[in-house]
Amino acid sequence: MNIQEINSRLVEKFGSQITGQNFENPDPWIEVSVDAIADVARFLKSDPALAFDALNNLTATDWFDADAKKQAKLGDPRIEVVYHLYSYRHKHHAILKVKSPRWRDGVAGQLPQIPTVSSVWAVADWHEREAFDLVGIDFVGHPDLRRILCSEDWQGHPLRKDYEFPLEYHGIRAR
Amino acid sequence: MSLHLEDPRVIEFDVRTDEMLVNMGPQHPSTHGVLRLLLRTDGEVVSQVIPHLGYLHRCAEKIGENLSLPQWIPYTDRMDYLAGMNMNLGLSLAAEKLMGVEVPAKAQVLRVMIAELGRVASHLVGMGAYGLDLGTFSPFLYAFREREIILDLFEELCGARLTYSYIVPGGVTHDLPAKITIPPGLAQLTGEKPTLQLSWIDACLRFLNWLEKRIPEYHTLLTENQIFIKRTAGLGIMDRETAIDFGCTGPVLRGSGVDHDLRRDGEPIYTRMYQGYQFDIPVAPFAVAPPEAVLGDNWCRFYVRMMEVVQAIRLVRQAIEKYPTAEGTHRIPFKQATKLPRKEVYLETECPRGQMGFYLVGVDANNPFRARAKSSSFCNLSVTEKLCEGCLIADIPAIVGSLDIVMGEIDR
């Protein structure tokens, strides 16, 4: 199935939960609402015509710039989570995207919540831990959401665009 | 039952074993770098394995956001440092996909030749180090003897032995040298004069001829070795569904019987490179497998790598044949200061350890807005917890070693 067919199948099933598409990008993607992502993921894996049994990549981007002019070019400040899927049975690809506010309830420091897909694809367990660690996303329902690359007492999420490197770490000068 | 202290056996059997938490690593020779495995053991039996990563985290993705794509290439060398060429290739292709350019035929031939030679070097280390994990020392020395010559050839090509930065967006940095001194190791092994001058291609062909004859020896040393079979066959069994679910790729996936290789099944920008080449994709189960071997066990994963060496040599030979008639130059301009278009691309390539992916986001700036390196070893390692459940402590190096991980790539 190509991305248009996958998209129409998802729209048919989930309706307004499919919030947008971009088919012009070299890798076309489908946008899904935050609340529906786990259900959409489960459907994509279990539906025999889609059968997306593999999650190749899961990552997130912080669309933020402290400069208001540059921010205007980036669109609204937001976090985007990208899911690169592949089906070994049908040999087709799909890319899902979830857009979420940068902070929960607009309060800086409160991580945005996105439902986990780790129960759908086991590999998402570690990918989500990495996205939590580096970008700062609270994957709701994740069985063991703790840091994976940074040490457990690290402060902040380094791939946030407004991240400030700590002055020191356990007495070691860091900057 | 009362204790009879006179009889020592009674005491011995009355002692209950306690559950213990044991750290394996981060400085453990068989964890292939700085990986810490926290084992919950009861005697020799491991009930749980918790991997702790990040000891080699060097913020590659954060650095990538502050560099242009050609500037990020040297950082990819340091991800999977045993296959720097293949890492370079992955990022270069992703950059070219983002910019919508394609390199000339000559650059493509050079890329195939070098990437496959890199695969041979990487699998040689994988093979040798795996032997080392299981307590046999000599295959490691042989593997390094052979790899040394490949490194010498790479050094003649681009000046570096480990961190090449040879394959760059737009092609490769240098064409093949017309005349080199024979690598010392090769001169010694083939009995040539160490001052012999020959073309790079001649040196490479001489090496391949020599290496091909050695492969049966490795099989005798490891593959058919009864001790090796006892340590690997029927252990660490991973079925097809588990392998896919945990995102395993490369030899680990093919060892579980999934016929998938991006050189054949990948995206056009990558598979075009391999068009017109004859090569097989080794997939378990194998007819030559010992009776103890089970689909998806350590032995299968190891054997896939061994067979891939043979196929990689075939590919290098074909690339060498194509090289003299390949059209175009080895490099087209790719400016350091190029505005990356407002697009997002993700590209995976078949690296020796699996599918390495690069995700790049351009926002009309020179530097990518987001530069993500998806590591294959990272996903391959995530299955450890499941594979090691209920095994013996001594089997952990055998299982983790068969996944052939490189921590530099996992931690980035």
Side-chain angles (χ1 to χ4, degrees), chain B residues 106-372:
Chain B
K106 186 167 180 179
Q108 293 198 355
V109 168
L110 280 168
R111 281 178 171 187
V112 170
M113 195 188 301
I114 298 310
E116 294 305 320
L117 213 48
R119 194 183 307 275
V120 175
S122 168
H123 280 339
L124 281 172
V125 179
M127 175 201 86
Y130 193 41
L132 207 58
D133 287 345
L134 301 175
T136 163
F137 197 69
S138 20
F140 182 71
L141 296 177
Y142 291 124
F144 266 63
R145 181 183 70 183
E146 269 74 297
R147 176 171 173 263
E148 180 69 18
I149 299 167
I150 300 182
L151 297 194
D152 282 340
L153 287 172
F154 282 167
E155 190 181 2
E156 294 289 355
L157 192 62
C158 63
R161 294 170 59 80
L162 201 68
T163 51
Y164 313 105
S165 305
Y166 174 69
I167 299 174
V168 289
V172 295
T173 55
H174 305 78
D175 204 348
L176 297 180
K179 215 148 211 75
I180 62 168
T181 310
I182 188 166
L186 187 60
Q188 205 176 13
L189 293 169
T190 52
E192 293 290 350
K193 266 194 246 134
T195 49
L196 180 70
Q197 299 284 309
L198 72 181
S199 74
W200 191 93
I201 283 189
D202 270 349
C204 185
L205 281 173
R206 280 178 195 225
F207 167 67
L208 294 180
N209 289 340
W210 187 83
L211 177 67
E212 265 181 341
K213 293 198 199 93
R214 292 300 165 287
I215 290 173
E217 292 180 10
Y218 307 145
H219 285 306
T220 326
L221 272 170
L222 287 171
T223 323
E224 296 156 11
N225 180 332
Q226 267 308 311
I227 305 170
F228 181 82
I229 292 172
K230 281 241 154 61
R231 291 293 310 274
T232 56
L235 260 171
I237 302 161
M238 174 156 54
D239 59 35
R240 188 194 143 92
E241 283 67 36
T242 311
I244 292 175
D245 201 26
F246 278 87
C248 296
T249 47
V252 180
L253 182 71
R254 292 189 282 277
S256 290
V258 182
D259 189 5
H260 186 77
D261 188 315
L262 288 183
R263 288 174 289 174
R264 184 193 62 199
D265 307 318
E267 292 192 31
I269 190 169
Y270 185 51
T271 50
R272 262 199 293 272
M273 263 173 61
Y274 286 91
Q275 254 168 26
Y277 288 85
Q278 304 294 317
F279 64 104
D280 300 321
I281 295 160
V283 181
F286 299 101
V288 295
E292 300 94 323
V294 186
L295 179 65
D297 65 356
N298 295 343
W299 190 91
C300 287
R301 287 191 279 278
F302 171 80
Y303 196 69
V304 167
R305 281 187 200 103
M306 293 294 282
M307 298 316 285
E308 277 184 13
V309 171
V310 179
Q311 296 304 322
I313 292 172
R314 256 178 93 186
L315 280 164
V316 178
R317 281 188 189 284
Q318 291 172 55
I320 285 175
E321 268 170 36
K322 284 177 198 280
Y323 172 72
T325 54
E327 284 173 10
T329 60
H330 65 279
R331 189 178 192 178
I332 54 170
F334 190 103
K335 280 187 199 146
Q336 292 264 347
T338 312
K339 290 246 183 297
L340 301 176
R342 203 168 265 277
K343 289 174 185 167
E344 302 178 15
V345 295
Y346 179 67
L347 185 75
E348 288 193 344
T349 54
E350 190 73 35
C351 289
R353 278 166 191 78
Q355 298 173 12
M356 180 79 188
F358 284 95
Y359 173 67
L360 303 170
V361 178
V363 288
D364 292 330
N366 294 342
N367 302 346
F369 191 67
R370 176 82 167 93
R372 151 93 169 151

Side-chain angles (χ1 to χ4, degrees), chain A residues 4 8 13 30 57 61 63-64 66 72 84 91 103 120 149 166:
Chain A
Q4 279 89 354
S8 43
K13 170 93 183 159
I30 301 168
N57 180 33
T61 311
W63 289 84
F64 174 77
H84 291 91
K91 296 195 184 299
W103 305 109
V120 186
L149 292 180

Side-chain angles (χ1 to χ4, degrees), chain B residues 58-71:
Chain B
R58 290 148 299 170
C59 325
E61 292 176 12
K62 186 78 179 172
I63 292 171
E65 288 178 4
N66 297 302
L67 297 174
S68 72
L69 292 177
Q71 284 173 323

Side-chain angles (χ1 to χ4, degrees), chain B residues 377-410:
Chain B
S377 291
F378 182 85
C379 304
N380 290 350
L381 182 67
S382 73
V383 79
T384 321
E385 227 172 313
K386 194 172 162 106
L387 282 191
C388 293
E389 230 173 61
C391 73
L392 300 176
I393 292 180
D395 289 335
I396 286 182
I399 294 171
V400 176
S402 78
L403 300 172
D404 192 21
I405 50 168
V406 163
M407 290 314 287
E409 188 195 314
I410 292 173

